[in-house]
Amino acid sequence: MEVMRIHLFVSGRVQGVFFRAHTQEVAHQLGLVGWVKNLDDGRVEIVAEGEGADLQRLIDWCRHGPPGARVDDVEIFYEEPTHEFKSFEIRYGKW
C-alpha cells in the first residue's frame, strides 16, 4: 500500500453545516488519517493521508459536502506523507 497525502482548502458555505463532522465520518469510513478544521476566512482546511483511491473519494465527497453545504471550490495540494497521524480528528482554534 502506497500512502499519499493531500492538503485541501474547501470554500463556499462550508462552515455551520457540520462539514467538519461529516468529513471526519467520511475519512473514518475510508480508513484515512489526518485532520479537518475551520479557517477564519470561512474555508475548511483538510489534511489527509491514505491510499490514493481513498483520498480521491474524499476529494470527490468534498466537491459537494454534506446537506446544507454549498461548495464553490476545492483547492488540492499533493504533499509528501509524514505518517504522523493515528486517526482523523477535528481541530479547533489555532494549530
Side-chain angles (χ1 to χ4, degrees):
M1 167 178 98
E2 182 182 357
V3 173
M4 299 175 68
R5 178 182 177 119
I6 56 172
H7 194 160
L8 308 176
F9 293 90
V10 185
S11 59
R13 189 176 71 231
V14 293
Q15 292 189 12
V17 293
F18 299 101
F19 202 101
R20 291 175 299 169
H22 282 94
T23 301
Q24 183 183 45
E25 182 179 314
V26 170
H28 283 156
Q29 290 171 357
L30 295 171
L32 302 175
V33 296
W35 51 264
V36 59
K37 72 176 183 177
N38 285 345
L39 297 176
D40 291 341
D41 64 6
R43 295 179 300 163
V44 170
E45 181 179 13
I46 302 164
V47 172
E49 292 186 357
E51 291 189 36
D54 294 325
L55 292 172
Q56 186 59 54
R57 286 182 187 94
L58 178 64
I59 292 168
D60 293 343
W61 179 85
C62 285
R63 292 189 194 285
H64 60 82
R70 185 197 74 244
V71 176
D72 295 334
D73 189 36
V74 179
E75 293 179 80
I76 306 165
F77 300 92
Y78 294 90
E79 302 174 346
E80 289 297 316
T82 61
H83 307 281
E84 66 190 279
F85 309 116
K86 302 248 186 288
S87 64
F88 195 95
E89 63 187 34
I90 297 173
R91 290 191 173 176
Y92 302 92
K94 308 278 187 216
W95 280 74

